[in-house]
């Protein structure tokens, strides 16, 4: 039951936000071997003064906080991160230096919806 939270200085239309959410959901389900029904995405637009990254260059900033169920390998996480970065760079001209992702792994039972409590992830 991942929660993918984007903070950005981009100014996105409703259609662009929907496309971003669809794209990262598709990428997440592929790279993390799961289904889309429980993937949650937030996109928060921020003023440039609200975000800081020491290595940043001129251009928009995008930070992704990925709250995910534990068990995914570093390789799976890296593949998802790189796919997301490539999409943001190609679609919204975000410089590579201006993107960052942080993964926080949670036990399955810490992730829940109204209808269920998450279990542990198993690659099989």
């Amino acid at each position: 039951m991942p929660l993918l939270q984007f903070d950005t200085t981009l100014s996105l239309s409703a259609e662009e936000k929907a496309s971003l959410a669809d794209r990262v959901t598709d990428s997440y389900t592929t790279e993390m071997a799961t289904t889309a029904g429980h993937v949650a995405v937030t996109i928060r637009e921020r003023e440039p003064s609200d975000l800081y990254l020491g290595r940043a260059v001129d251009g928009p900033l995008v930070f992704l906080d990925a709250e995910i169920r534990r068990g995914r390998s570093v390789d799976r996480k890296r593949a998802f991160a790189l796919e997301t970065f490539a999409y943001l760079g190609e679609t919204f001209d975000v410089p590579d230096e201006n993107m960052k992702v942080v993964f926080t792994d949670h036990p399955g039972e810490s992730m829940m919806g109204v209808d269920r409590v998450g279990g542990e992830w198993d690659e099989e």
Side-chain angles (χ1 to χ4, degrees):
M1 298 181 189
L3 174 57
L4 308 176
Q5 303 174 90
F6 289 87
D7 287 283
T8 183
T9 59
L10 288 166
S11 179
L12 302 173
S13 68
E15 294 81 20
E16 289 170 323
K17 287 179 183 179
S19 292
L20 173 58
D22 287 343
R23 178 66 180 259
V24 298
T25 297
D26 288 345
S27 177
Y28 188 87
T29 59
T30 299
E31 298 300 341
M32 301 296 191
T34 191
T35 58
H38 55 277
V39 177
V41 178
T42 64
I43 302 166
R44 297 178 290 235
E45 294 181 9
R46 305 290 190 180
E47 294 296 321
S49 61
D50 292 338
L51 301 179
Y52 175 80
L53 182 59
R55 69 174 186 218
V57 297
D58 192 38
L61 297 168
V62 179
F63 303 160
L64 168 57
D65 181 8
E67 303 280 341
I68 67 170
R69 185 170 31 178
R70 70 180 172 201
R72 273 36 178 238
S73 68
V74 171
D75 290 340
R76 285 186 182 277
K77 294 175 192 174
R78 185 68 175 153
F80 170 69
L82 291 176
E83 168 66 27
T84 301
F85 292 155
Y87 173 74
L88 292 166
E90 293 165 9
T91 306
F92 302 110
D93 296 321
V94 180
D96 288 349
E97 298 87 350
N98 293 7
M99 295 183 275
K100 187 168 188 85
V101 62
V102 174
F103 289 94
T104 305
D105 295 351
H106 298 277
E109 68 270 6
S110 292
M111 307 189 91
M112 57 186 80
V114 172
D115 61 338
R116 67 180 264 204
V117 174
E120 292 305 306
W121 184 79
D122 187 357
E123 191 166 2
E124 296 176 22

